[in-house]
Amino acid sequence: MKQLQPDTLIRNPQGKPIVSCVVIACDAARLWKVVGHFGGFDAFIPALSHIEMIGAGVGALRTKCFQDGNLVVEQLNSHDEQAMNMTWTMVYNTLGIARLWAAMAVEPLAKTHARATWTIIAEPNEEEREGFVQFVQDFADNALENVRQLLS
């Protein structure tokens, strides 16, 4: 009998990063408090009905529950309060996404302005290829525009 070896279904996606940025007239700490809260994305993504968290800090899982019944489960890979950045990986979804890795970072531009940058690398399932990149870009752009409105 062949001895079982460690394995995993989680792989980093390949592809060109999809980047969305927003500059907001507020200090970086205030912006980070919104976009750096891994369990709080429902504050600026209206398509979410709620978020369920399992655990806290690096390794925590969040389930994003969408109004339309779709689910996305993601694991927090890194979270640095001082540098104001974090990364996460999708581990399950019902949206037709094969693999997804994302990062959120905030940088101060002046005492009165800050930039949030959301970087996503994602691969669609085979049947979801057409329009996929534009869908992800629009989703991130709309979410960060909601952050601008929330903090303005």
Side-chain angles (χ1 to χ4, degrees):
M1 180 166 80
K2 182 180 174 184
Q3 186 173 2
L4 297 176
Q5 296 293 314
D7 60 357
T8 182
L9 295 175
I10 299 172
R11 289 192 352 235
N12 283 322
Q14 303 297 309
K16 184 179 175 190
I18 299 165
V19 179
S20 182
C21 292
V22 65
V23 173
I24 300 179
C26 72
D27 67 82
R30 183 169 175 228
L31 178 54
W32 178 246
K33 189 171 182 162
V34 175
V35 300
H37 178 39
F38 188 62
F41 277 39
D42 52 344
F44 58 89
I45 300 176
L48 295 175
S49 64
H50 65 286
I51 292 176
E52 298 171 2
M53 292 295 300
I54 299 173
V58 172
L61 297 175
R62 74 174 170 196
T63 299
K64 295 190 298 194
C65 302
F66 286 80
Q67 304 276 358
D68 65 6
N70 279 300
L71 298 172
V72 174
V73 179
E74 297 165 321
Q75 182 176 39
L76 184 61
N77 299 328
S78 68
H79 193 274
D80 187 327
E81 283 294 320
Q82 270 56 52
M84 292 186 284
N85 62 51
M86 65 178 172
T87 64
W88 62 93
T89 301
M90 183 197 67
V91 295
Y92 174 81
N93 77 97
T94 59
L95 294 172
I97 302 170
R99 280 169 285 290
L100 183 142
W101 172 91
M104 183 71 77
V106 170
E107 60 185 310
L109 299 178
K111 287 187 185 224
T112 60
H113 287 79
R115 175 186 297 123
T117 303
W118 190 352
T119 304
I120 300 167
I121 301 174
E123 294 176 31
N125 287 338
E126 286 303 316
E127 59 275 1
E128 303 292 336
R129 292 204 175 273
E130 190 167 330
F132 179 75
V133 170
Q134 193 60 54
F135 166 78
V136 174
Q137 184 73 62
D138 291 346
F139 183 86
D141 289 347
N142 290 335
L144 289 184
E145 180 55 35
N146 290 339
V147 171
R148 179 198 320 272
Q149 292 174 13
L150 187 67
L151 295 176
S152 293

